[in-house]
Amino acid sequence: MPSYTAPVRDMMFVLHDVLGADRHGIPGNEELDRDTTAAILTEAAKLAETVLAPLNRTGDTQGCRFENATVRTPEGFRAAFDALREGGWTALDCDPAYGGQGLPHLISTAASEIFSAANMAFYMYQGLTHGAYNAIHAHGSAAQKALYLPKMVAGRWSGTMNLTEPQCGTDLGLIRTRAEPQPDGSYRITGQKIWISAGEHDLTENIVHLVLARLPDAPEGVRGISLFIVPKYLPGPDGEPGARNAVSCAGLENKMGIHGNATCVMQYDGAVGEMLGAPHAGLRAMFTMMNEARLSVGLQGYAQGARAYQMALEFARNRLQGRALTGARNPEGPADPILVHADVRRMLMEQKALVEGGRALVFWGAALIDRARRAEDREAEALISLLTPVIKAFLTDKGFETTVLAQQVPGGAGYVRDSGLEQIVRDARITMIYEGTNGIQALDLVGRKLGADGGKAVMAFLALVTGFIAEHQGQDSDFDAGFLTPLAAALEDLGAALRYMQTAGSTAPLDALSGASDLLHLFGHVCLGLMWARMAQAAAVSAEDAAFCAAKIATGRFYMARLLPATRLHLARIETGAAPVMALDEEAF
Ligand SMILES: Cc1cc2nc3c(=O)[nH]c(=O)nc-3n(C[C@H](O)[C@H](O)[C@H](O)COP(=O)(O)OP(=O)(O)OC[C@H]3O[C@@H](n4cnc5c(N)ncnc54)[C@H](O)[C@@H]3O)c2cc1C
């Protein structure tokens, strides 16, 4: 597997020049200066580049092994997890009351990109733990928090989320797993969960499963689901792992990618659990975990794109084929590097524009989470809730597209295993499926998020983009033409699409649903348009060196000219409504 270099400089630019993490201060972390973030990211980069990235291929080729109802992770994973834990990387943005470092989520997001790009399958073990930590932190009793959180923050115990069952994926109303109340206040959990990431492994002392199940008196459907904490080992009186609970891994899935992450069938045979949150309110509690997980999956999407782009670029610099149309660049050699060719440039520019735009969008989302959590900023909370399905689906669709484009750059070498690119393509593919398929994210956006609280969040988003354009218009004709004019045109397309959706939503819902994925992509493009305009604006006044800033502005121009106009196509598709999509009788397929 080729080496990985963490894009620390680019991250610093987004954190400080674009988002002003040092100037505007993050509530509770006003002194987050450049030196501090640089030191943290440089350390993360060291671990990722020297330990995690070299294990990515091992994870893929060895995979996880199922032996006597236990799972062995690939060689080296355990030592790498020890290094993650000992370096304090499991505790970055966690609550100091439970041993966390209390750093902004923004910083842990940047570190997560580095770890995830280096080795996505490995870092998923920690990602799920962090999600479970959040759910217990938000909904747990004082005793549950005291028992579980310190060990999860320290990386000694890991976490999982158990929703899916053989008959129940998207439609959680179909869950059958049962929870029987016991006289001592605990519950006995019985049922089977499938495709549970990190369900069983050898990296931690204990595994804390968060399991959706039904109480005996539960109402039908999603209103009758409760959430339970079911540890692999029941904590003894000292809080340390005691007797083995009646939960076991019944097998591992054979799958396309992320072979280093164990995807488990989990069997619950009267396992002891305790309720997390209120009866029948499990889905709401689980959504705390899922919302974070959806943002993390959006991050996985562009992070895999970032890793693939690095590989493609290195190949394009070294592979000699053909001559540049404008004169030989490597006259001493038999041919020029393929980087000189316009079509190769096109592919690399697309990758660069999507990856850097995706990074800015995810970091902005993380900054919104910090404002929402630390300053109880309701507008920030509404905005990130609106953006969550967009970040998850748009960035994973585009992230996968980026990995395929990167694979195309080397030609045949991208298809054979040695380049490492085909693994990245396979690993990235799952991001479009799990945590709710991308189609379901689009339904969430159209069916729930747009209309939430009278459409306040979407109006705040539109006002934010309009405000940005108004603030900067007329100051620099190049910036107007290259950035603000295309952004305004894309915003008009979004406005027209939203008006269509509003009308269709009340009169012809199938018209709205048929265009939901297009609306999500249109929305995603406007988000990236805003990010690129903000980055170009920041680059124009940045103290970074001139070449870095010029490249940033040129990449932004490429995005605005070549990718953002996709909004027009998405709008045209939306406006055709349901007729072309639903034209065939079911028998005609
Ligand atoms: C590697 C891997 C890891 C996973 N990890 C976990 C985990 O840790 N925990 C966990 O609980 N689950 C996990 N899952 C399950 C994953 O979250 C589900 O696969 C996903 O949510 C989709 O459910 P499904 O596969 O059952 O598809 P289905 O729900 O059967 O959907 C099939 C298709 O129909 C579409 N569809 C369904 N309903 C609608 C609708 N109402 N309108 C429009 N389209 C619809 C979907 O978009 C999809 O294209 C994992 C899966 C995999 C493959």
Side-chain angles (χ1 to χ4, degrees):
M1 173 70 61
S3 61
Y4 165 67
T5 307
V8 172
R9 188 181 187 190
D10 203 62
M11 291 180 164
M12 292 291 292
F13 171 75
V14 178
L15 290 173
H16 293 287
D17 292 282
V18 181
L19 297 174
D22 48 342
R23 296 188 304 282
H24 309 316
I26 295 188
N29 269 91
E30 281 76 10
E31 285 164 21
L32 191 75
D33 55 43
R34 283 177 186 261
D35 290 346
T36 311
T37 48
I40 295 170
L41 297 185
T42 306
E43 280 307 306
K46 239 186 254 170
L47 178 64
E49 291 166 5
T50 59
V51 179
L52 307 190
L55 281 179
N56 204 30
R57 170 61 68 88
T58 317
D60 189 53
T61 50
Q62 285 187 5
C64 293
R65 276 166 299 149
F66 184 58
E67 291 170 0
N68 305 324
T70 63
V71 172
R72 291 170 75 89
T73 52
E75 236 165 78
F77 269 42
R78 208 172 160 153
F81 202 84
D82 288 345
L84 195 77
R85 177 193 303 125
E86 283 156 16
W89 299 108
T90 56
L92 275 189
D93 65 344
C94 295
D95 188 343
Y98 303 102
Q101 298 178 33
L103 282 165
H105 184 59
L106 181 56
I107 297 303
S108 82
T109 297
S112 290
E113 181 200 315
I114 293 175
F115 296 141
S116 195
N119 194 331
M120 173 173 152
F122 169 84
Y123 194 61
M124 281 173 67
Y125 293 99
Q126 166 55 19
L128 284 149
T129 305
H130 194 275
Y133 156 88
N134 262 344
I136 297 175
H137 192 268
H139 303 282
S141 65
Q144 287 170 336
K145 291 187 203 181
L147 176 58
Y148 292 103
L149 296 185
K151 286 131 187 154
M152 296 173 85
V153 170
R156 288 176 50 211
W157 293 12
S158 59
T160 69
M161 54 188 284
N162 289 239
L163 295 84
T164 309
E165 299 179 7
Q167 77 296 343
C168 152
T170 302
D171 187 353
L172 293 170
L174 301 174
I175 278 179
R176 284 190 200 143
T177 299
R178 298 187 322 275
E180 294 285 341
Q182 303 299 303
D184 65 357
S186 70
Y187 295 83
R188 293 288 179 152
I189 313 294
T190 304
Q192 190 183 67
K193 298 285 179 179
I194 60 167
W195 302 340
I196 304 307
S197 299
E200 174 64 28
H201 56 80
D202 55 4
L203 303 179
T204 55
E205 297 162 26
N206 204 355
I207 303 177
V208 181
H209 302 289
L210 296 193
V211 184
L212 286 179
R214 284 185 184 287
L215 293 167
D217 62 344
E220 290 284 297
V222 288
R223 290 205 171 78
I225 302 172
S226 306
L227 185 58
F228 298 87
I229 304 177
V230 186
K232 172 177 167 184
Y233 293 103
L234 293 165
D238 57 355
E240 292 302 314
R244 180 71 205 246
N245 204 354
V247 47
S248 57
C249 174
L252 285 179
E253 296 296 344
N254 240 323
K255 57 192 193 292
M256 176 178 177
I258 53 165
H259 292 153
N261 194 270
T263 307
C264 304
V265 176
M266 298 302 297
Q267 194 64 43
Y268 293 85
D269 298 314
V272 176
E274 46 183 312
M275 192 180 287
L276 179 60
H280 313 317
L283 212 52
R284 201 176 73 81
M286 189 59 118
F287 258 100
T288 305
M289 181 162 185
M290 279 159 68
N291 280 333
E292 168 175 337
R294 286 177 176 179
L295 292 169
S296 306
V297 173
L299 178 149
Q300 286 178 336
Y302 84 81
Q304 289 309 296
R307 179 88 195 262
Y309 166 67
Q310 279 190 9
M311 296 179 187
L313 178 60
E314 192 179 329
F315 194 94
R317 287 192 196 286
N318 294 315
R319 174 72 168 165
L320 306 181
Q321 291 290 292
R323 287 289 182 197
L325 208 63
T326 47
R329 294 291 169 78
N330 177 32
E332 310 301 316
D336 286 340
I338 59 168
L339 182 60
V340 303
H341 302 308
D343 194 57
V344 174
R345 289 294 189 101
R346 169 190 66 78
M347 293 190 280
L348 289 169
M349 285 300 278
E350 267 189 43
Q351 293 164 52
K352 188 168 162 61
L354 290 171
V355 164
E356 292 176 15
R359 175 174 299 128
L361 179 57
V362 166
F363 284 19
W364 178 45
L368 289 173
I369 290 177
D370 279 322
R371 271 171 44 199
R373 280 192 195 150
R374 290 162 173 252
E376 296 188 5
D377 180 333
R378 293 290 155 246
E379 185 176 301
E381 190 176 315
L383 262 178
I384 190 59
S385 168
L386 172 74
L387 292 175
T388 296
V390 178
I391 288 176
K392 194 281 179 181
F394 182 67
L395 293 188
T396 57
D397 281 350
K398 291 296 167 194
F400 178 69
E401 220 175 287
T402 302
T403 63
V404 174
L405 264 177
Q407 186 184 31
Q408 188 72 12
V409 168
Y415 190 77
V416 300
R417 294 207 74 183
D418 279 357
S419 71
L421 272 158
E422 61 83 41
Q423 180 193 340
I424 307 293
V425 172
R426 286 186 287 105
D427 286 354
R429 184 65 181 85
I430 186 59
T431 62
M432 297 153 77
I433 296 172
Y434 61 17
E435 286 312 330
T437 62
N438 284 0
I440 296 304
Q441 303 302 318
L443 298 191
D444 179 42
L445 176 68
V446 169
R448 229 175 304 177
K449 298 295 172 65
L450 290 182
D453 202 8
K456 255 193 198 162
V458 75
M459 284 188 282
F461 176 81
L462 297 176
L464 202 133
V465 185
T466 312
F468 179 88
I469 295 171
E471 187 187 339
H472 298 285
Q473 213 157 30
Q475 293 167 11
D476 172 346
S477 56
D478 274 358
F479 187 64
D480 282 358
F483 290 89
L484 298 184
T485 304
L487 183 58
L491 192 64
E492 250 178 58
D493 291 341
L494 180 59
L498 290 171
R499 285 190 294 280
Y500 179 91
M501 286 292 170
Q502 199 173 19
T503 312
S506 49
T507 57
L510 260 189
D511 283 340
L513 296 187
S514 301
S517 283
D518 281 291
L519 182 82
L520 185 142
H521 273 252
L522 202 171
F523 209 127
H525 272 297
V526 173
C527 289
L528 250 54
L530 176 66
M531 291 301 111
W532 271 114
R534 287 180 66 174
M535 285 197 279
Q537 224 257 328
V541 295
S542 168
E544 279 283 356
D545 75 49
F548 177 91
C549 294
K552 200 47 96 178
I553 293 169
T555 310
R557 282 182 185 285
F558 173 91
Y559 180 81
M560 302 312 257
R562 299 266 315 201
L563 302 185
L564 187 59
T567 58
R568 201 33 59 93
L569 171 65
H570 290 302
L571 174 62
R573 284 184 184 157
I574 290 166
E575 289 179 340
T576 63
V581 174
M582 302 300 283
L584 292 187
D585 286 337
E586 281 163 31
E587 305 75 59
F589 280 95

